[in-house]
Amino acid sequence: MEDIVFISDLHLAPQRPQIIELFIRFADEIAADADALYILGDFLEYWLGDDDPAPSLAPVFDKLIELDEKHGTKIFLMHGNRDFLIGNKLAERCHFTLIDDAYRIKIHDNDALLMHGDTLCTDDIEYQKFRQMVRSPQWKQDILSKSLEERIQIAKSLREKSKQSTTEKEENIMDVNQDATDHVFTDNNVDLLIHGHTHRPAIHHKKINNRDTTRIVLGDWYKTGSYLRINDDSDFRLQSYH
Ligand code: MN
């Protein structure tokens, strides 16, 4: 089978230049050898619209182009809760394909499901309400019709709000809901689910309705990098990248 690399939750931002550096090295050392790179959400800490020239992220965007043009690595990107305003213009500019959440792929001849993971956190009712609002086509259209300066202000106030409520929330409501997660396997008829978002990297094996399921949670890129590589000669293994 193909050699596939999965990452998520890099939260790339000009405020954390060392992680931008780390990703660029990762692209050269790891992703360049892969057939495909799947980015399962929150690649960027925030994105205010494809009309933002975002010069501080140019080295990242150039690296994506290089992965495609020079190394033939196909890049697939899924929205996260931070960067869901990434659109087709940026996809064209950076040579990646935007994929839906959830997205079905074949791994070792079996269907597997890829998700960002925020939709699994159903105990966080306040967040799910917020998500429903900001993901509506109407909200997106409204926000993108505002000036970039206005959008920067709105994003700032949303971030402040989210910071406040996150510190008030209990740890366990920030994790996936077990029932909702079990249902993903049975509803979609898959035994393998790969997602990020919770920043709790792990490989969970669980028997659900007689299915032997595997749920791989990708890690974030705060202290180190984190990735999953799947090819013919390796078992599922989460690896950190320094
Ligand atoms: Mn997330």
Side-chain angles (χ1 to χ4, degrees), residues 9 11 40-42 79-82 116-118 127 196-199:
D9 303 283
H11 295 259
L40 300 187
D42 289 351
H79 287 146
N81 49 300
R82 304 291 195 130
H116 177 53
D118 55 332
Y127 169 70
H197 180 67
T198 60
H199 301 206

Side-chain angles (χ1 to χ4, degrees), residues 17-27 221 224-225 241-242:
Q18 72 284 9
I19 300 299
I20 291 180
E21 288 296 314
L22 190 66
F23 171 72
I24 285 171
R25 198 149 46 77
F26 171 82
W221 285 54
T224 67
Y241 183 76
H242 304 262

Side-chain angles (χ1 to χ4, degrees), residues 215-230:
R215 180 168 65 94
I216 304 178
V217 188
L218 304 171
D220 64 62
W221 285 54
Y222 278 86
K223 292 202 175 100
T224 67
S226 173
Y227 69 102
L228 168 73
R229 181 166 211 155
I230 299 180

